[in-house]
Amino acid sequence: MDYKSVIAENIAKVTELDVEQVYKLIEIPPQKDLGDFAFPCFILAKSLHKAPAMISADLAGDASLTYGGMFNVKNAGPYLNFYVDRSRYAADTVSRINEAGDKFGASKEGEGQNIIIEFSSPNIAKPFHVGHAFTTILGNSLSRIYDRLGYNVIRMNHLGDYGTQFGKLITAYRLWGDEKALDEDPITELLRIYVKFHEEAKKDPSLDDKARENFKKLEDGCPEEVALWQKFRDMSLVVFNKLYDRMGVSFDNYNGESFYSDRIPAVVDMLKQKGLLEESEGAQVVKLDEYNLPPCIILKSDGTTIYASRDIAAVLYRKETYNFNKNIYVVGTPQALHFRQVFSVLKKAGYDFADDCVHVGFGLVKFKDMAFSTREGNIVLLEDLLDAAVDKTREVIVENAKLRGQDMSEEEINEIAEKVGLGAVIYTYVKSGREKDIIFSWEEMLNFNGNSAPYLMYTYARIRSILRKADAAGIKASREADVIGTLTGDDAYEVISELSGFEGEVKKAAAINEPFVISRKLFETASAFNSFYNNCRILGEDVDVKDSEARLALCEAVGNVLKSGLNLLGIETVERM
RNA sequence: GAUUGUGUAGCUCAGCUGGAUAGAGCGUCCGCCUCCUAAGCGGAAGGCCAGCGGUUCGAAUCCGCUCACGAUCACCA
């Protein structure tokens, strides 16, 4: 168990506070002489009718808090400060991590719980641009985090595979479609005819009627139209899957909007039966005044369905099929109101699992002063961004390899460039709070210094290099508590203190659905390690072997944490770079 | 207009269920490779935490108002 948890449990026992609550209150003091952990006693002032300073003084005298000599406890004003025994702290932390390996941070807290994560959900026949990357990367990371915590994760790709645009596509394909072009590059060809349709429809409005007609045929299951739709869908999926494979993203399920559409009548019946459906301005709606929300439209005035009804049908299906404990939607922040409405309708209909549905929103990806817009042509395809990042990385590697006299095969360089380049892109999406907009800038995306994936991967690669050198010299990372316990210097202590907090941050990331909690922790850990690395030689003739063994153990622990954490973000590591 | 979000260093962001001297990265400036990968390390400069008021022993954090910017608000998803 990590030290913070031990402290929290002991304080909770003594004060009768809730362990979770205490855990959150524990902080790291701003100055070293104030200890390694601190508990502010203000919260107890009211219930105990005593001044915080008195309380901390009383608590400091409670021997049970030292946990058998694990801590030295002192009161300083209203704070209760915990001083760890650095030697024991180092041995405990480093050993615990190295036993867990690169899965460090795993737990069983989610055992037996099903959690659905809906993410990515691109529209069929539309290009996959850097905006779609947000939900894909976020959702992938959250999936990995919950998975690591023991939850049974069901990854769902709610494809945009339904709607009148398919009537347009079918119409356009019959008029101007080029089968060969479709085979070679489906999305580009589908986009071409889609754009052409809109151009031509301006001149000839009868095309719109034709499109509506074809969509109606599709809905009614006419074989020819269904076959074309199926073809477009399959071909688009092939393209998307190539991108997903490249990014290490996978799904359990590709049920899109079309899948749920024939379940909507049952939803309408159910709402009618419960007397929730009302007519308003020709449409069928559920009023949500008591939730202080605008009405939710279930059926349009022409009697056709709308996305809200599809989403409700989807939740019911998911509950039935997966009996989820949590149902997460990784969808942009602009749809916040829509999800509140959907969840409220469910709640109003008496489905308490509405409370287990969560909308995890995220910001926009935009250029300096304009939003992305397919119509204006100012989009950046994710694939182009990935390629640019990989190219830039390759240049850096080639240059460095020359400088360092490393011999790398072309194949190895390409492999490393791919991983580092992708890592750099992925990281920019998970380095800040998810609700922040990302201002897209090539300069920032391709800056590999500071708080970036290449920085973390570089730190990892350097550690691996040292471990290889040590191995060649026959020196092994220590497993002995008394050897590791010699890591008591300030630089090593800073590293150990960062390492020790990793598990807690993984849990926190899941609790608030924020992968950036992990990326921030990794950066701080790597930063502390790089200082240590700079100030303290690990291998060498003038280094005592025992010291080398202890420091190697620390290196190994940092490597494990970096690999574990990067993996949770969806980023791979490389052995050299 | 209603709902809702944001405003912290030149730029991008942490910190926000009130607590010890407000922190990073980028950029700028100055240092560090005869030594484990310089995609690194160290240092400097840079802040009325949008403004005003309130609650409190204590406010970047909570409350109210003002200003600025954004999102959403019925038949697209």
Side-chain angles (χ1 to χ4, degrees):
Chain A
M1 195 170 5
D2 67 298
Y3 275 42
K4 197 170 159 184
S5 299
V6 174
I7 293 171
E9 284 195 5
N10 283 293
I11 293 177
K13 241 179 254 166
V14 173
T15 60
E16 293 176 355
L17 288 169
D18 184 53
V19 182
E20 297 270 314
Q21 193 185 8
V22 175
Y23 186 89
K24 283 182 193 161
L25 286 169
I26 292 173
E27 48 191 87
I28 292 174
Q31 287 157 70
K32 277 199 196 94
D33 55 316
L34 294 171
D36 304 293
F37 296 93
F39 176 71
C41 298
F42 305 98
I43 193 166
L44 292 164
K46 258 194 193 146
S47 58
L48 297 177
H49 300 292
K50 268 199 275 190
M54 296 258 301
I55 298 168
S56 74
D58 288 350
L59 287 174
D62 191 322
S64 72
L65 287 177
T66 66
Y67 202 67
M70 200 161 173
F71 306 104
N72 193 4
V73 186
K74 281 188 201 160
N75 60 307
Y79 288 88
L80 196 59
N81 292 332
F82 290 75
Y83 296 76
V84 303
D85 174 339
R86 281 193 181 184
S87 176
R88 194 165 160 184
Y89 190 39
D92 285 353
T93 305
V94 170
S95 306
R96 200 157 47 84
I97 293 169
N98 289 342
E99 273 161 33
D102 60 19
K103 292 290 181 296
F104 180 63
S107 87
K108 291 183 174 172
E109 72 167 55
E111 220 170 27
Q113 295 201 53
N114 295 330
I115 172 158
I116 291 177
I117 303 185
E118 174 188 310
F119 66 104
S120 202
S121 312
N123 287 325
I124 293 301
K126 294 266 179 69
F128 202 102
H129 62 69
V130 295
H132 297 119
F134 215 145
T135 161
T136 307
I137 290 166
L138 240 189
N140 183 233
S141 176
L142 290 173
S143 305
R144 288 169 181 234
I145 292 166
Y146 280 107
D147 187 67
R148 184 69 59 83
L149 292 176
Y151 292 85
N152 178 34
V153 179
I154 300 128
R155 298 159 164 88
M156 301 195 95
N157 196 339
H158 191 80
L159 295 172
D161 61 0
Y162 206 66
T164 46
Q165 71 264 31
F166 289 96
K168 293 176 183 173
L169 275 175
I170 290 168
T171 310
Y173 184 70
R174 284 176 175 159
L175 289 170
W176 315 294
D178 178 342
E179 191 154 359
K180 212 163 127 201
L182 189 68
D183 283 336
E184 275 164 22
D185 190 349
I187 305 279
T188 305
E189 173 62 5
L190 289 171
L191 186 64
R192 180 187 73 82
I193 61 174
Y194 189 69
V195 169
K196 189 171 172 77
F197 179 92
H198 282 279
E199 283 167 11
E200 298 291 328
K202 264 187 222 156
K203 290 178 256 170
D204 179 6
S206 76
L207 282 172
D208 281 319
D209 297 331
K210 191 79 194 152
R212 257 191 293 275
E213 198 179 300
N214 281 330
F215 178 60
K216 184 84 176 69
K217 282 189 186 167
L218 175 61
E219 264 198 308
D220 293 344
C222 292
E224 283 176 40
E225 282 70 20
V226 170
L228 266 182
W229 169 84
Q230 188 71 46
K231 180 176 173 151
F232 296 156
R233 189 180 189 275
D234 290 349
M235 294 185 110
S236 297
L237 262 182
V238 168
V239 177
F240 292 149
N241 275 326
K242 230 162 85 189
L243 199 51
Y244 291 142
D245 280 348
R246 187 177 184 190
M247 306 220 303
V249 176
S250 64
F251 295 94
D252 297 294
N253 186 311
Y254 293 86
N255 291 346
E257 291 160 18
S258 63
F259 179 85
Y260 300 104
S261 68
D262 60 350
R263 294 164 195 276
I264 295 176
V267 170
V268 176
D269 285 349
M270 177 273 289
L271 292 173
K272 213 175 273 172
Q273 229 165 44
K274 296 192 175 173
L276 303 179
L277 224 47
E278 294 179 41
E279 180 170 333
S280 169
E281 295 173 34
Q284 295 292 314
V285 308
V286 174
K287 292 216 168 143
L288 299 168
D289 295 343
E290 66 271 43
Y291 297 95
N292 198 21
L293 291 173
C296 180
I297 298 183
I298 302 297
L299 289 177
K300 300 193 266 188
S301 43
D302 64 1
T304 56
T305 65
I306 187 167
Y307 55 97
S309 36
R310 271 194 282 277
D311 271 338
I312 292 166
V315 180
L316 295 175
Y317 171 80
R318 290 172 189 186
K319 185 64 190 177
E320 209 176 285
T321 311
Y322 299 104
N323 191 25
F324 59 75
N325 298 86
K326 212 188 234 187
N327 178 29
I328 292 178
Y329 295 85
V330 185
V331 179
T333 280
Q335 292 193 45
L337 177 60
H338 164 248
F339 282 110
R340 280 171 62 201
Q341 288 179 305
V342 167
F343 302 159
S344 296
V345 169
L346 286 166
K347 187 84 178 165
K348 194 166 175 173
Y351 298 112
D352 282 338
F353 55 77
D355 295 332
D356 302 325
C357 296
V358 188
H359 172 219
V360 173
F362 54 86
L364 255 48
V365 181
K366 54 189 183 186
F367 282 120
K368 198 92 197 142
D369 38 28
M370 53 181 158
F372 283 107
S373 156
T374 314
R375 208 181 312 149
E376 311 207 2
N378 60 349
I379 56 164
V380 176
L381 295 182
L382 177 58
E383 200 170 3
D384 292 343
L385 172 60
L386 296 179
D387 288 342
V390 171
D391 286 346
K392 158 111 193 250
T393 308
R394 193 182 296 113
E395 281 170 31
V396 178
I397 294 173
V398 169
E399 204 175 300
N400 283 338
K402 221 180 285 169
L403 231 60
R404 296 170 190 155
Q406 286 172 317
D407 58 320
M408 286 193 193
S409 66
E410 176 113 18
E411 197 188 346
E412 189 182 2
I413 290 175
N414 286 338
E415 213 171 287
I416 295 169
E418 173 76 11
K419 287 182 182 170
V420 177
L422 258 63
V425 172
I426 291 171
Y427 196 83
T428 61
Y429 288 90
V430 290
K431 74 185 267 195
S432 302
R434 58 182 153 79
E435 296 199 2
K436 292 277 178 190
D437 289 344
I438 293 176
I439 310 293
F440 184 88
S441 126
W442 286 102
E443 200 190 330
E444 271 215 25
M445 283 271 182
L446 302 180
N447 185 343
F448 297 168
N449 304 318
N451 189 3
S452 68
Y455 174 87
L456 301 177
M457 298 171 87
Y458 176 74
T459 306
Y460 180 82
R462 239 172 18 177
I463 286 170
R464 299 300 298 169
S465 171
I466 293 171
L467 291 171
R468 279 193 302 272
K469 284 217 160 89
D471 197 47
I475 305 172
K476 286 210 158 43
S478 175
R479 295 272 178 268
E480 311 289 325
D482 54 344
V483 174
I484 301 173
T486 59
L487 292 167
T488 54
D490 284 349
D491 288 312
Y493 168 76
E494 294 296 335
V495 178
I496 288 158
S497 152
E498 290 295 342
L499 290 174
S500 166
F502 180 73
E503 295 157 295
E505 296 298 276
V506 175
K507 285 184 184 155
K508 186 178 173 192
I512 60 175
N513 295 307
E514 280 283 21
F516 100 92
V517 169
I518 292 173
S519 64
R520 191 230 274 127
K521 186 65 182 172
L522 292 182
F523 175 67
E524 283 165 356
T525 305
S527 183
F529 176 79
N530 282 326
S531 295
F532 168 80
Y533 173 89
N534 236 258
N535 294 332
C536 185
R537 259 202 97 72
I538 293 151
L539 298 172
E541 285 166 18
D542 46 346
V543 184
D544 185 82
V545 178
K546 288 279 176 221
D547 286 337
S548 283
E549 288 171 350
R551 290 165 194 172
L552 284 169
L554 184 62
C555 287
E556 199 182 316
V558 173
N560 280 327
V561 163
L562 287 175
K563 186 165 188 179
S564 170
L566 283 168
N567 181 267
L568 293 177
L569 299 175
I571 298 171
E572 292 192 67
T573 50
V574 295
E575 297 298 305
R576 296 212 285 173
M577 65 188 272

